[in-house]
Amino acid sequence: MVIALAQTMRDIGHNYQRHLHVTAIDIDPRAIHMAYVQLSLLHIPAHLIVGNALSGEIQDHWFTPAHILGGWTARLALRQRCGPVAETAQRTTIATGPTSPSQGAVPPSHEPGGSQRSMPRQLSLF
């Protein structure tokens, strides 16, 4: 699925090597090793974890060369620190859209999910 996503991103003109980061966890080390080889050959930034996603036990971490060379550890840490600011800016943009009910405006307090609604920070497939 990750490779298909990367190919689709490439086909529509997005550079998946700069805009896609994968975090995957599997209990079977062989599955992680196979994913590591495939994602490394395609230069897909990824953090691969040998562990149990249900219990939270982690045995080993693998980082693809694209993750290391692209500075993804720092990029993800920066995004985590700046995430709430970006989310606030997005809500501000939504709130300053159309202002009359005839233009389809929805006050921020009436959004589905209310103010507790948060956007996912990263696509997680595994």
Side-chain angles (χ1 to χ4, degrees):
M1 288 185 342
V2 172
I3 293 170
L5 173 64
Q7 289 172 343
T8 302
M9 288 178 72
R10 183 195 63 213
D11 292 346
I12 62 173
H14 292 289
N15 184 350
Y16 65 85
Q17 297 170 340
R18 294 184 50 124
H19 300 289
L20 171 67
H21 184 272
V22 176
T23 301
I25 185 168
D26 199 296
I27 199 163
D28 185 3
R30 287 176 291 183
I32 293 297
H33 295 158
M34 289 187 299
Y36 175 83
V37 169
Q38 290 177 327
L39 298 177
S40 293
L41 290 173
L42 293 171
H43 200 69
I44 296 174
H47 175 196
L48 305 167
I49 304 166
V50 178
N52 187 335
L54 298 176
S55 68
E57 297 174 39
I58 295 176
Q59 299 168 355
D60 203 4
H61 295 269
W62 290 72
F63 298 93
T64 60
H67 173 92
I68 296 166
L69 295 172
W72 277 93
T73 301
R75 289 173 70 176
L76 293 172
L78 178 63
R79 179 170 180 173
Q80 202 167 35
R81 283 190 305 237
C82 297
V85 174
E87 186 176 329
T88 303
Q90 180 183 11
R91 286 192 182 164
T92 303
T93 303
I94 291 170
T96 59
T99 55
S100 72
S102 64
Q103 293 176 320
V106 176
S109 61
H110 295 102
E111 288 182 272
S115 62
Q116 291 82 18
R117 184 176 173 187
S118 64
M119 300 299 290
R121 294 179 188 261
Q122 178 179 340
L123 176 65
S124 181
L125 297 174
F126 296 96

